[in-house]
């Protein structure tokens, strides 16, 4: 692989000569702009706006546009005179845990190759120190005319440097998250967990660019004079989700079908449990509302019922007393009648002569 930068890693007082090599490459298919009428190539030419002449690359320099609109020429000698210690040095400034690096800062990746035999020993020393510490190195370096931030880590037996954006180059996520209050139920989270478990893990080596392959097949077919059969585009998955629970269940089934699996009991149990929780929550809410209404309804006639019960009790006591008095009078009347009859029936005593 061709190196794009030569310099050294500054590790304290240790200097490691290295070469910088691109660790990634792009496989996207590029197109040229053409004139649709005759197929002629459209080219961009660098023309001076003062004299209208096309300028070769050897005569093109740098300039800074001032607020007033004027251009201030900046030469390579001006930039070379700047005190830039990282111009040819990757200067390690700290060692931190890997989770301290925000993935939003990650930029291009480069392999650091030991430059020459003398660099092998310090290179391996830094590599093994990074492995044993389970940390990454934060460094500063200069590339393509500006100073940058980098992160060094170990991949297999090589040291890799990821270019990092400066912290002030990462924008705050203002206005990105929903501003409305949204409540997610446990039942919905259970189905989301089931979908995540169904999708499971993946071998990243098995992933590939389907669109690029389709473009290559189309180009090959047109080159051979044939026509590529157009396949039906998948249905768009946009639109508003009306029933989130149903959408999650359908997603779980689709994920299982795509993996050639049958819909298992686990998903059914999660669905039943999720729906049970949802219904239980709704029923609990309805019961609480019904209980509150019943309690309000009972409070209103409570006083009337108490007053009515009191009147009824008083009336019963009065009636009972009247009955007892009447019964007593009835019992005394036959007794008096019996005494009167007994007096009348008693024989008079005769006096002896």
């Amino acid at each position: 692989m061709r190196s794009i930068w030569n310099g050294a890693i500054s590790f304290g007082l240790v200097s490691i000569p290295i070469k910088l090599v691109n660790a990634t490459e792009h496989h996207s298919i590029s197109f040229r702009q053409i004139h649709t009428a005759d197929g002629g190539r459209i080219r961009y030419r660098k023309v001076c706006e003062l004299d209208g002449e096309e300028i070769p690359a050897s005569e093109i320099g740098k300039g800074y546009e001032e607020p007033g609109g004027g251009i201030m020429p900046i030469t390579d000698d001006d930039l070379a005179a700047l005190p830039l210690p990282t111009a040819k040095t990757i200067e390690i400034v700290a060692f931190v845990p890997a989770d301290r690096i925000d993935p939003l800062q990650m930029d291009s990746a480069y392999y650091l190759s030991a430059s020459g035999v003398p660099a092998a020993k310090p290179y391996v020393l830094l590599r093994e120190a990074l492995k044993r510490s389970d940390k990454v190195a934060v460094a500063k370096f200069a590339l393509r005319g500006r100073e940058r931030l980098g992160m060094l880590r170990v991949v297999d037996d090589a040291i890799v440097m990821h270019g990092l954006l400066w912290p002030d180059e990462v924008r705050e996520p203002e206005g990105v998250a929903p501003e409305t209050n949204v409540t997610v139920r446990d039942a919905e989270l259970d189905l989301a967990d089931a979908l995540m478990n169904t999708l499971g893990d993946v071998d990243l080596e098995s992933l590939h660019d389907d669109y690029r392959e389709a473009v290559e097949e189309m180009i090959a077919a047109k080159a051979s004079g044939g026509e590529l059969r157009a396949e039906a585009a998948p249905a768009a998955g946009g639109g508003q989700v009306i029933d989130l629970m149903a959408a999650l269940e359908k997603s779980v089934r689709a994920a299982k079908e795509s993996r050639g699996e049958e819909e298992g009991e686990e998903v059914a149990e999660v669905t039943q449990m999720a729906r049970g929780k949802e219904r239980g929550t709704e029923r609990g809410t309805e019961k609480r509302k019904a209980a509150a209404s019943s309690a309000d309804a009972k409070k209103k006639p409570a006083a009337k019922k108490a007053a009515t019960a009191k009147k009824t009790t008083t009336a019963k006591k009065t009636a009972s007393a009247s009955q007892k008095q009447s019964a007593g009078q009835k019992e005394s009347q036959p007794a008096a009648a019996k005494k009167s009859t007994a007096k009348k029936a008693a024989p008079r005593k005769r006096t002896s002569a």
Side-chain angles (χ1 to χ4, degrees), residues 103-183:
L104 283 174
Q105 292 182 250
M106 303 289 278
D107 202 354
S108 301
Y110 308 94
Y111 287 128
L112 301 183
S113 172
S115 182
V117 176
K121 181 66 178 287
Y123 184 96
V124 173
L125 172 64
L126 177 59
R127 183 189 68 193
E128 296 304 314
L130 287 171
K131 283 184 180 180
R132 191 166 70 171
S133 67
D134 199 22
K135 293 182 178 181
V136 297
V138 177
K140 295 170 70 176
F141 68 103
L143 183 64
R144 298 189 178 98
R146 69 185 185 95
E147 190 172 52
R148 305 186 182 201
L149 195 63
M151 178 191 75
L152 278 65
R153 68 185 182 99
V154 178
V155 175
D156 295 335
D157 290 331
I159 298 176
V160 178
M161 182 174 67
H162 295 269
L164 299 178
L165 298 175
W166 296 99
D168 60 357
E169 292 180 323
V170 179
R171 300 172 64 183
E172 295 293 332
E174 296 178 358
V176 177
E179 296 180 357
T180 57
N181 293 327
V182 179
T183 301

Side-chain angles (χ1 to χ4, degrees), residues 346-352:
R348 295 179 180 179
K349 293 182 181 181
R350 293 181 181 179
T351 58
S352 58

